């Protein structure tokens, strides 16, 4: 079980470096939440052959977490995976957090419909306190 499920675009270098930063914070601060990641690979089709298996695994991870954080990257706004993860987090009654690493990135519409808690991703205290 993790305290924080994090969804991010693995192809985005900024999101990947942020993922590394989160791992470092978690390794050096015992109060930092335990984390699990879903690296969104744009090549994994939402309706492809393995989609049902991936969705079952993700639903289980989201259900086991306390909070859900989506990192908004350049491609996030058009990701069916992101929309599905956000909807699943809401169905499971998880607190949804959102962060933009670049202010020019577009948020998915489904995220705006649920009014997530927007956070400063560069402040580890926010994730510790939330």
């Amino acid at each position: 079980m993790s305290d924080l499920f994090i969804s991010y675009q693995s192809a985005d270098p900024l999101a990947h470096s942020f993922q590394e930063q989160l791992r470092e914070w978690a390794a050096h601060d015992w109060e930092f939440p335990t984390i699990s990641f879903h690296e969104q690979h744009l090549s994994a089709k939402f309706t492809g052959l393995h989609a049902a298996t991936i969705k079952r695994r993700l639903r289980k991870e989201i259900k086991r977490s306390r909070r859900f954080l989506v990192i908004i990257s350049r491609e996030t706004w058009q990701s069916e995976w992101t929309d599905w993860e956000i909807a699943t987090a809401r169905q499971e009654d998880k607190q949804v957090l959102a962060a933009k690493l670049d202010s020019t990135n577009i948020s998915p519409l489904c995220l705006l419909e649920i009014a997530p808690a927007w956070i400063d991703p560069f402040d580890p205290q926010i994730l510790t306190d939330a």
Side-chain angles (χ1 to χ4, degrees):
M1 177 173 181
S2 67
D3 291 326
L4 184 62
F5 179 93
I6 301 170
S7 174
Y8 74 104
Q9 299 280 328
S10 58
D12 181 339
L14 190 56
H16 183 74
S17 67
F18 179 63
Q19 182 242 15
E20 293 298 321
Q21 179 66 58
L22 288 168
R23 286 188 193 278
E24 186 175 318
W25 287 339
H28 292 89
D29 183 354
W30 66 274
E31 290 184 351
F32 199 79
T34 57
I35 51 180
S36 64
F37 293 96
H38 174 229
E39 301 177 23
Q40 293 180 11
H41 300 281
L42 297 178
S43 60
K45 296 193 183 231
F46 185 72
T47 57
L49 181 62
H50 302 290
T53 303
I54 295 169
K55 288 176 186 176
R56 272 193 303 277
R57 182 181 53 81
L58 290 174
R59 182 179 302 281
K60 185 185 245 183
E61 287 184 44
I62 291 170
K63 189 173 188 170
R64 289 181 175 172
S65 68
R66 282 188 351 165
R67 296 174 292 162
F68 174 89
L69 170 61
V70 60
I71 306 299
I72 309 300
S73 293
R74 194 172 307 125
E75 305 296 328
T76 305
W77 68 275
Q78 60 188 5
S79 169
E80 291 177 299
W81 284 109
T82 302
D83 289 345
W84 182 87
E85 290 171 344
I86 292 166
T88 301
R90 292 303 297 161
Q91 287 172 353
E92 297 295 336
D93 201 27
K94 303 301 175 183
Q95 179 186 24
V96 177
L97 308 171
K100 283 187 178 185
L101 302 178
D102 182 335
S103 63
T104 63
N105 293 339
I106 301 169
S107 299
L109 287 177
C110 69
L111 186 65
L112 300 176
E113 292 170 357
I114 64 165
W118 290 91
I119 65 164
D120 175 357
F122 303 105
D123 182 358
Q125 193 63 40
I126 289 174
L127 295 174
T128 302
D129 293 342

